[in-house]
Amino acid sequence: MRAHEAGALHADGYRGPAWLETPVDVNALVPSLWATSVRRGDDGVLSVAGVSASELAREFGTPAYIIDEDDFRSRARKFKQEYAAHFAPLAGADVFYAGKAFLCTEVARWIHAEGLNLDVCTGGELAVARRAGIPGSRIGMHGNNKSVAEIREGLEYGVSRIVVDSLEEIDRIARVAAELGVVAPVLVRVNVGVEAHTHEFIATAHEDQKFGLSLAGGQALEAVRRILDRPGTLSLLGLHSHIGSQIFDTSGFEVSARRVLGLHTAVTKEVGVELPELDLGGGFGIAYTTEHDPLPPARLASGMADIVERECRAEGITVPRISIEPGRAIAGPSTFTLYEVGTVKPVQLDGGASRVYVSVDGGMSDNIRTALYDANYSCTVAGRRSDADPVLARVVGRHCESGDIVVMDEFLPADVRAGDLIAVPGTGAYCRALSSQYNHTPRPPVVAVRDGAARVIVRRETIDDILALDV
């Protein structure tokens, strides 16, 4: 078939992407996409932890992020337990929750209570951690352009590690440490030249990007030498490598670990220093749609333990203590966003196909990922059962942008109408965290549900909040 000039979305007979199958039952839920407590009742209404979507909409309004607290905490706990178990025969492992995925004071408390450490990358995230009572010894600090003020705040609070991202930053951290009379614990972020198979702008280990110090170009080894030359102000804990996001197997980690452990070995043999730690980053994928098949924490931990042990044995070096940084894999599946439908508009496509545009009361201000990364999501009508046939739909937002799309392609019932509730799963990571006030739209609340009770953990923004910033 000749390609259509306007693209595949307008080609003859377009019926959505290849992975999107027409459902036999448009009311059916795909369990892998939802928090564990999400159910559909006999009346068709979704519930989470015993609270119905209709009740949540009535009490808290829409749009709203709805988080299953037990699901979030159990995912965090599972990562800690599995990595502890699989790395116990080696040198052990630490799990740092990547706060950039989603962070608020209550979530930070959950992470602390479940025994995880917390990774922050701004002074604002550090402030949340401090407010939640997380001690500095349980906090790691990232960032490619950390300010002097942020470095000082981190060192004053006693963070357990600062990840060095440039040669220039070495001097900056050393100066602040000297002023405070402390020795700053640091890791070197190594750019190992391994690119995760994800969208270009979230694949963070190839050479042409802003993060890390090049392994191939020698800057990473130079950073190690410069840090070791400052024993009075800097303490080198080890190396750090992060290869991207939405990773569904351990093959990328295998190549990454081999390369970064090669540098680890060079430091041991050439410089005479045995580094005690190695951080392999995060990026573990989740299921946003039926096309995704993520590995459970047990298989991730087992596979990574095998890789690290094998590579260290091949190099003839002692296995270092390992760190990982899951964020999305904990927060993402635990949350869905609840919207209300406003306008429904059928649109004819070329070749006799059609699509229904379903406009909801949120959009790119509460989920920018579809516009930013071409991310795919799923959704379902959440407030009733439908016996109508499935139709190809696109869920769009209320903002003045043609790219304001929440769900690119999904089958919804043909009778979808104004007033219906729409639930989009997998929105716990990088949705509230990347939210905005575009078109002066207040940001939604985050509502935690547990044991049949719901409570606000981040309140809804108001117009007064927005106007209060004007001077």
Side-chain angles (χ1 to χ4, degrees):
M1 181 190 302
R2 186 175 69 88
H4 192 282
E5 290 83 350
L9 298 187
H10 299 275
D12 291 353
Y14 177 71
R15 294 295 185 272
W19 52 263
L20 181 63
E21 297 182 1
T22 306
V24 175
D25 178 6
V26 75
N27 303 286
L29 298 179
V30 179
S32 63
L33 307 185
W34 299 87
T36 50
S37 73
V38 173
R39 304 282 187 275
R40 191 186 292 278
D42 293 338
D43 58 357
V45 179
L46 251 61
S47 66
V48 53
V51 182
S52 76
S54 300
E55 293 176 67
L56 292 166
R58 280 194 298 270
E59 183 172 357
F60 304 105
T62 57
Y65 302 105
I66 310 299
I67 182 169
D68 180 339
E69 179 180 345
D70 282 340
D71 184 273
F72 184 104
R73 295 178 70 141
S74 68
R75 292 177 193 274
R77 194 180 314 128
K78 195 70 173 174
F79 268 100
K80 179 175 173 59
Q81 291 171 345
E82 294 296 346
Y83 275 82
H86 285 89
F87 280 87
L90 304 176
D94 296 306
V95 178
F96 283 76
Y97 172 68
K100 64 180 182 176
F102 172 62
L103 191 64
C104 67
T105 305
E106 184 66 1
V107 160
R109 292 187 185 115
W110 297 349
I111 288 297
H112 186 44
E114 297 300 338
L116 277 70
N117 300 327
L118 177 64
D119 176 69
V120 302
C121 52
T122 66
E125 290 180 353
L126 178 60
V128 173
R130 295 180 67 165
R131 185 179 184 185
I134 299 179
S137 60
R138 297 271 296 277
I139 298 172
M141 200 169 188
H142 261 84
N144 69 296
N145 188 28
K146 296 179 282 290
S147 70
V148 170
E150 287 171 327
I151 293 168
R152 182 176 291 109
E153 289 168 5
L155 291 178
E156 286 178 338
Y157 196 58
V159 296
S160 68
R161 58 184 62 190
I162 298 177
V163 180
V164 172
D165 203 271
S166 66
L167 294 175
E168 180 181 338
E169 192 174 61
I170 295 170
D171 295 332
R172 191 176 301 156
I173 297 171
R175 283 197 302 271
V176 176
E179 291 172 13
L180 298 176
V182 300
V183 177
V186 298
L187 298 173
V188 173
R189 179 159 179 170
V190 182
N191 194 327
V192 296
V194 178
E195 181 175 352
H197 298 294
T198 50
H199 188 282
E200 180 184 357
F201 298 123
I202 52 175
T204 57
H206 55 92
E207 292 293 336
D208 187 14
Q209 46 95 21
K210 70 177 186 177
F211 292 108
L213 289 146
S214 173
L215 176 63
Q219 287 87 358
L221 182 57
E222 175 62 20
V224 168
R225 294 183 185 278
R226 291 191 188 186
I227 291 167
L228 293 175
D229 283 343
R230 294 168 171 82
T233 53
L234 302 177
S235 172
L236 182 60
L237 301 180
L239 306 175
H240 178 285
S241 170
H242 178 71
I243 60 172
S245 299
Q246 274 296 82
I247 301 167
F248 293 104
D249 59 49
T250 59
S251 58
F253 290 108
E254 184 163 11
V255 178
S256 170
R258 182 178 304 127
R259 293 183 182 181
V260 76
L261 281 168
L263 176 58
H264 182 101
T265 303
V267 173
T268 301
K269 296 180 178 178
E270 296 175 25
V271 184
V273 175
E274 191 167 278
L275 303 176
E277 298 188 30
L278 173 64
D279 191 322
L280 291 175
F284 311 116
I286 68 167
Y288 286 108
T289 69
T290 54
E291 68 176 322
H292 300 137
D293 186 22
L295 292 177
R299 288 184 60 191
L300 285 168
S302 174
M304 292 177 76
D306 289 346
I307 290 167
V308 170
E309 183 179 25
R310 182 171 62 250
E311 294 301 326
C312 287
R313 190 187 311 119
E315 295 283 1
I317 59 173
T318 303
V319 177
R321 186 173 183 85
I322 297 299
S323 298
I324 59 161
E325 300 164 0
R328 182 198 318 263
I330 293 172
S334 304
T335 299
F336 65 85
T337 306
L338 191 61
Y339 300 99
E340 183 177 317
V341 175
T343 299
V344 177
K345 184 187 298 183
V347 174
Q348 294 301 310
L349 307 179
D350 293 345
S354 64
R355 191 200 321 276
V356 176
Y357 275 74
V358 179
S359 296
V360 296
D361 53 355
M364 64 193 302
S365 60
D366 59 74
N367 187 352
I368 193 64
R369 292 190 70 257
T370 307
L372 191 61
Y373 298 135
D374 294 328
N376 289 313
Y377 284 87
S378 178
C379 67
T380 190
V381 171
R384 63 182 176 89
R385 179 174 293 278
S386 175
D387 295 321
D389 291 335
V391 296
L392 185 65
R394 175 165 293 172
V395 179
V396 297
R398 62 193 298 267
H399 300 290
C400 291
E401 294 287 341
S402 58
D404 179 24
I405 298 170
V406 178
V407 179
M408 187 74 71
D409 293 288
E410 183 57 284
F411 284 99
L412 291 174
D415 62 354
V416 62
R417 55 184 181 261
D420 274 338
L421 295 176
I422 297 286
V424 177
T427 57
Y430 304 106
C431 289
R432 182 58 175 81
L434 288 170
S435 63
S436 73
Q437 298 171 343
Y438 184 53
N439 292 152
H440 279 62
T441 303
R443 285 174 286 201
V446 181
V447 179
V449 188
R450 186 179 189 184
D451 297 333
R455 71 189 194 283
V456 173
I457 61 173
V458 179
R459 71 166 174 83
R460 184 183 298 281
E461 211 166 35
T462 67
I463 293 294
D464 285 342
D465 291 328
I466 296 174
L467 294 177
L469 298 176
D470 287 359
V471 296

